[in-house]
Amino acid sequence: MAQEFIVEADGGSRGNPGPAGYGAVVIDAVTGETLAETAEYVGVATNNVAEYKGLVAGLKAARELDPDATIRVRMDSKLVVEQMSGRWKIKHPDMKPLAAEAAAVASGAQVTYQWIPREKNKHADRLANEAMDAGKRGEQWSAAASTADLRAASRAAAEPAGPPGDAAAGAARARAALAGATGKASAAARPGADAVTADARAARSVAADGSGASGEPSGTGTATAAPPVGWGAADLGAPATFVLLRHGETPLTPEKRFSGSGGSDPSLSDAGREQAVRVAAALAARGTVQAVVSSPLLRCQETARTVAARLGLDVELEPGLRETDFGAWEGLTFAEARERYPDELTAWLASPNVAPPGGESFAEVTSRVSVARDKLQAAYAGRTVLLVTHVTPIKTLVRLALGAPPESLFRMELSAASLSAVAYYADGNASVRLLNDTGHLR
């Protein structure tokens, strides 16, 4: 009977592009034992390139252990999972050869791909960070110095056991012997593999500084759960973080004209294109954005494509992020709308349920933005996604996160090419982290 392996892989870039590394781990799907680890510093690369390199390395490690094994790949990169599953096209030239290499490595094997939240991919994430840390020191990653397996075991032991075959639960059971240093959890199963057992790592870590892998008191060597974070609450895992980017200027922006989704679809001005370049550089330097989603309107798509090209990402379109349809007011200034439609404008300002003539009310916008928010929150749980959109959708997301009344829409300033951010947690709460940041434009 063929073995079944779980391959968990991750990659990261500190700068995107910047110093990059990957990590991958092969796990016995039945027992949860770590069978092999691999990691490498790869020099300057994007997040996605590092993710793909981690996948290739993990598949190679699995095939070396057993060429006939079935492989279940679990990654927190939705891009890689969807592309390797054949559901998304591979457009970026840097991704195509890596995807082809991954497919060639697993040729003939039964391979399936599953997206998992980042907090479920801690082991591979730590390996990738160890590789990047080693690169910063001018070294390559060494399994002999790695503590990723031990730290992953400590976390898994503190989590509730899952169903048979669940990797985290299996790892917790297999490594329970760490408490008495009697376990034999395997970290390598092929000759010459550059890996060591988890209990050896535990002993080495304690001998070095009297602490566990995370610098915590080791006590008797028993793996313990991390203390609560935040306001003393339980750890809810990494939130889904929406980085909200208003598109760059169009010719209508400086004139403060109504520019929604019901009139012309203006492109960026020269100033707007320069703003897009600047925000792309700022986001690349931060290196946190893992996906880009845009309103379908041209000004947003242009802004999004500029940023995505710098980050090495594709652009996903979300119709729910389009701007309000301002109906008869499209192209008018506020003063012109007041002059031509005084009663209608007064009613619109007084109630979110009133729409401009032939247009869309703020209540209607709130409804579709909320649907888009919930959809994207589920798709990007535990990840950071850039949403390139407009004034009303961004203000609406911020308002809803704060629980503020509809009239707060008129009390927020939102500049062209500004950045805002909202984090969404597993318990349904949200946190506004940034509003109308334009520092990257100065």
Side-chain angles (χ1 to χ4, degrees), residues 96-140:
K96 290 182 179 179
L98 290 168
E101 184 179 3
V105 170
S107 177
Q110 182 181 347
V111 182
T112 57
Y113 290 86
Q114 176 189 358
W115 177 83
I116 56 174
R118 176 181 288 181
E119 63 268 22
K120 298 295 185 183
N121 203 26
K122 291 293 187 182
H123 192 158
D125 175 74
R126 287 176 177 133
L127 287 168
N129 277 285
E130 285 184 352
M132 286 184 279
D133 290 341
K136 187 176 181 180
R137 298 191 300 269
E139 305 169 357
Q140 279 291 350

Side-chain angles (χ1 to χ4, degrees), residues 392-440:
T392 310
I394 293 175
K395 288 184 176 182
T396 298
L397 288 168
V398 171
R399 178 183 79 77
L400 293 174
L402 293 173
E407 56 266 29
S408 64
L409 292 177
F410 299 110
R411 298 174 185 173
M412 287 183 252
E413 177 69 22
L414 210 63
S415 304
S418 64
L419 289 168
S420 303
V422 180
Y424 298 90
Y425 292 88
D427 65 351
N429 286 315
S431 173
V432 176
R433 296 186 170 180
L434 190 68
L435 181 65
N436 196 40
D437 177 19
T438 57
H440 50 280

Side-chain angles (χ1 to χ4, degrees), residues 6 9 29 42 46-47 54 85 103 117 134 160 162 169 188 190 199 259 262 264 277 302 316 327 336 360 383 404 442:
I6 295 170
V42 298
T46 64
N47 277 325
S85 298
R190 62 184 188 276
D199 19 352
S259 181
S264 63
V277 169
E302 289 180 341
E316 174 188 346
E336 289 168 344
E360 186 179 25
R383 306 175 70 203
R442 300 190 185 107

Side-chain angles (χ1 to χ4, degrees), residues 322-393:
R322 69 186 184 277
E323 181 58 288
T324 307
D325 182 348
F326 291 112
W329 301 345
E330 293 279 358
L332 302 181
T333 65
F334 190 87
E336 289 168 344
R338 168 72 78 185
E339 180 181 356
R340 301 180 195 182
Y341 302 92
D343 295 336
E344 293 89 341
L345 187 65
T346 298
W348 178 70
L349 292 172
S351 172
N353 297 308
V354 174
E360 186 179 25
S361 72
F362 283 146
E364 291 171 316
V365 175
T366 299
S367 178
R368 65 170 164 82
V369 167
S370 296
V371 170
R373 175 202 61 194
D374 294 345
K375 170 186 172 183
L376 294 170
Q377 186 180 346
Y380 294 100
R383 306 175 70 203
T384 298
V385 56
L386 178 70
L387 307 188
V388 185
T389 179
H390 310 263
V391 169
T392 310

Side-chain angles (χ1 to χ4, degrees), residues 151-205:
R151 294 172 68 192
S154 296
R155 180 178 179 88
E159 294 176 348
D166 177 80
R173 293 191 298 271
R175 295 181 177 83
L178 279 173
T182 59
K184 299 296 182 182
S186 172
R190 62 184 188 276
D194 186 17
V196 293
T197 62
D199 19 352
R201 288 196 192 110
R204 184 170 56 248
S205 178

